[in-house]
Amino acid sequence: MDTLLVIINIIALFALIALLFTMQKKHVSFSKRVFTGLGLGIVFGFIIHLLYGTTSNITTQTIDWFNIVGSGYVKLLQMIVMPLVFISIVGAFTKVQLTKNLGKISFLGIGILLVTTGIAAAIGIASALGFGLQGTELTAGEAENARNEALTENVKMVQDMTIPQQILSFIPANPFDDLTGSRPTSTIAVVIFASFVGIAYLGVRRKQPEPAELFRKIVEALYAVTMRIVTLILRLTPYGVLALMTKMTATSDYGAIVKLGKFVVASYVAIIVMFLVHLLLISLVKLSPVTYMKKAFPTLTFAFTSRSSAGTLPLNIKTQTDSFGVSEAIANFVGPFSLSIGQNGCAGIYPAMLAIMVAPTAGIDPFDPAFILTVIAVVVISSFGVAGVGGGATFASLIVLSVLNLPIAIVGLLISVEPLIDMGRTALNVSGSMTSGILTSKITGELNKDIYNDKSRNDFVEA
């Protein structure tokens, strides 16, 4: 009987996929199809949850099959992430616009990421204090204890690593190994290696124009092929969102969410306020925040459901260049850097909130201005090298709490609501990345305002 019900669920998923495919054939806009996939996934997942429960054999087997679509889509994106990071950074150096303003673009792009992370940390602190969150209110059950045991190795690694050692871990000893994503800091290591290749290209171009020109053409060809692969994968976004959202709503522990409701609400209040800060920054450079939200929605929706900033990178770059008019050089420079530097949600809000929550247990007044400024500074510095995948916030929190000599057990006590909060954090990470790209492009005079204001430039995936 269980097998029959699982088969029925799979058939239902295929029916929903067929509906989304029909919408594509009728040329319904990409954003509307993504939104439809999101809505259908919420409803379908909630129905499965009501009928079979969260941990039943039927639900487990059903989601296992659904993962072929959802997790399979995320894996396809992750497959192209490292090649895209490498070729995007190198390609950015071969663009004339970047080489003319390399210092300015680097300073603005990375600077905006770090400043917004500092703002995010301050907002996270204000939310934690405003809601009166305290680590002593959290209790450990079986799942939480198991989570803390699983984190033991990571905790030891973080505790034993000084800040200089952490910085040293960014440097790639074997770039080909890092291209496989073998280390938590592999992404920033690839960025560093690609930057060296790009700088070497600039030197060769000055002294040996002919081989430099050949190299530029090869990079452009590889970039074109890589972006074509990206486009092919991104066409699957509505289906991936459908399956991922179904899994999320079907397997969520709603009882635990209610129990930790105050923390969830405080987290999302901070996330929403930081989103508003992004819109304010866009308004300050005289661009429409409404246009930004409409065009960013499909990308943010996928980031929300996939919980992977790295997996969202291809969609991030395509949105910046094709929908917002950000120059390819800047989008390809800022996008990859944002995977490891200045993640507003995972490396900003979350670690700051946890630090404030556990401070009283260490005899520290969380309202102490000196402590608050120290937390913000540590959060900004520690935001370097945070992995852009689901769980990156955990490592960021471990680093921040360890540096501040605060108890780290709280990280494992939030496992039951971690996926729900991580969805919002990841969307905020990606929004911060796109905001940095837009602001950098606008300030340097390389933003195509006609593309930004063109409402029809939102279905780039169909190209």
Side-chain angles (χ1 to χ4, degrees):
M1 185 63 180
D2 285 2
T3 302
L4 177 60
L5 291 174
V6 171
I7 292 174
I8 292 173
N9 292 336
I10 294 172
I11 293 173
L13 178 66
F14 274 110
L16 295 177
I17 290 175
L19 174 61
L20 292 173
F21 183 74
T22 301
M23 292 175 67
Q24 179 179 342
K25 287 296 182 182
K26 292 183 178 180
H27 303 291
V28 176
S29 71
F30 178 72
S31 58
K32 288 181 180 177
R33 286 186 282 118
V34 171
F35 185 76
T36 301
L38 176 69
L40 291 174
I42 292 173
V43 174
F44 189 29
F46 194 63
I47 290 173
I48 291 175
H49 178 84
L50 288 178
L51 292 177
Y52 313 114
T54 303
T55 58
S56 70
N57 189 47
I58 297 173
T59 299
T60 301
Q61 290 188 39
T62 296
I63 297 304
D64 199 30
W65 282 100
F66 286 11
N67 281 339
I68 296 176
V69 179
S71 299
Y73 174 61
V74 174
K75 282 183 176 292
L76 287 175
L77 284 167
Q78 291 172 338
M79 170 190 75
I80 199 65
V81 164
M82 283 304 187
L84 180 60
V85 168
F86 177 76
I87 202 65
S88 293
I89 292 291
V90 176
F93 278 89
T94 64
K95 307 290 183 184
V96 177
Q97 303 99 315
L98 177 61
T99 56
K100 286 182 178 178
N101 301 299
L102 177 59
K104 191 175 183 180
I105 290 172
S106 302
F107 176 78
L108 285 171
I110 297 175
I112 291 170
L113 288 171
L114 294 177
V115 168
T116 52
T117 299
I119 295 172
I123 291 172
I125 290 170
S127 183
L129 292 174
F131 279 86
L133 299 180
Q134 295 182 14
T136 54
E137 295 177 351
L138 303 178
T139 56
E142 289 184 14
E144 287 75 16
N145 288 328
R147 173 64 168 169
N148 277 327
E149 286 181 15
L151 288 173
T152 301
E153 241 179 87
N154 294 326
V155 168
K156 186 178 179 183
M157 179 182 71
V158 170
Q159 285 181 326
D160 293 343
M161 186 177 288
T162 63
I163 290 181
Q165 289 173 334
Q166 182 185 343
I167 295 172
L168 189 63
S169 70
F170 300 160
I171 302 174
N174 184 344
F176 299 102
D177 184 43
D178 282 315
L179 281 167
T180 67
S182 60
R183 301 186 298 144
T185 56
S186 282
T187 303
I188 195 169
V190 170
V191 168
I192 291 172
F193 175 63
S195 297
F196 269 98
V197 174
I199 293 170
Y201 159 78
L202 297 180
V204 172
R205 191 180 67 176
R206 285 195 301 270
K207 298 181 179 180
Q208 298 173 282
E210 288 187 9
E213 179 62 17
L214 175 61
F215 180 79
R216 184 187 66 79
K217 290 180 179 179
I218 292 173
V219 170
E220 285 186 357
L222 289 173
Y223 181 77
V225 171
T226 302
M227 292 310 293
R228 188 58 189 172
I229 296 173
V230 167
T231 300
L232 293 174
I233 296 173
L234 292 183
R235 287 178 176 174
L236 304 173
T237 299
Y239 315 113
V241 168
L242 166 65
L244 289 167
M245 205 65 219
T246 300
K247 175 183 178 180
M248 178 63 196
T249 51
T251 59
S252 291
D253 186 347
Y254 294 103
I257 292 173
V258 171
K259 183 180 177 182
L260 294 172
K262 188 163 71 168
F263 179 77
V264 174
V265 172
S267 297
Y268 270 93
V269 165
I271 289 169
I272 291 170
V273 171
M274 193 59 207
F275 265 120
L276 294 176
V277 170
H278 291 167
L279 298 181
L280 176 62
L281 292 173
I282 289 171
S283 299
L284 290 177
V285 294
K286 299 180 180 179
L287 295 173
S288 169
V290 175
T291 299
Y292 170 80
M293 282 306 301
K294 287 181 178 178
K295 292 189 173 185
F297 181 78
T299 304
L300 297 181
T301 297
F302 174 71
F304 185 82
T305 53
S306 68
R307 297 169 53 207
S308 173
S309 300
T312 312
L313 178 63
L315 194 53
N316 178 350
I317 292 176
K318 287 286 274 183
T319 303
Q320 288 194 51
T321 57
D322 294 9
S323 291
F324 291 133
V326 175
S327 72
E328 284 191 357
I330 292 175
N332 290 332
F333 188 82
V334 174
F337 264 101
S338 70
L339 295 184
S340 297
I341 296 174
Q343 293 191 353
N344 291 183
C346 290
I349 288 176
Y350 192 65
M353 290 182 69
L354 296 190
I356 292 298
M357 290 172 66
V358 300
T361 64
I364 299 173
D365 179 10
F367 290 92
D368 181 4
F371 175 68
I372 290 174
L373 290 176
T374 301
V375 171
I376 294 174
V378 170
V379 164
V380 172
I381 295 171
S382 299
S383 70
F384 283 82
V386 175
V389 296
T394 298
F395 291 98
S397 300
L398 291 175
I399 292 171
V400 169
L401 296 177
S402 295
V403 171
L404 293 171
N405 291 318
L406 294 173
I408 56 179
I410 188 174
V411 177
L413 299 181
L414 297 166
I415 182 176
S416 55
V417 295
E418 180 75 12
L420 178 62
I421 298 172
D422 197 36
M423 295 167 82
R425 290 192 310 238
T426 305
L428 185 63
N429 293 342
V430 175
S431 179
S433 172
M434 292 193 292
T435 299
S436 178
I438 292 170
L439 294 179
T440 301
S441 203
K442 181 67 167 61
I443 294 171
T444 56
E446 295 181 22
L447 183 76
N448 189 324
K449 292 185 69 174
D450 291 334
I451 293 179
Y452 186 94
N453 294 319
D454 187 352
K455 296 180 180 178
S456 67
R457 296 296 293 260
N458 200 30
D459 284 330
F460 54 83
V461 175
E462 305 306 329

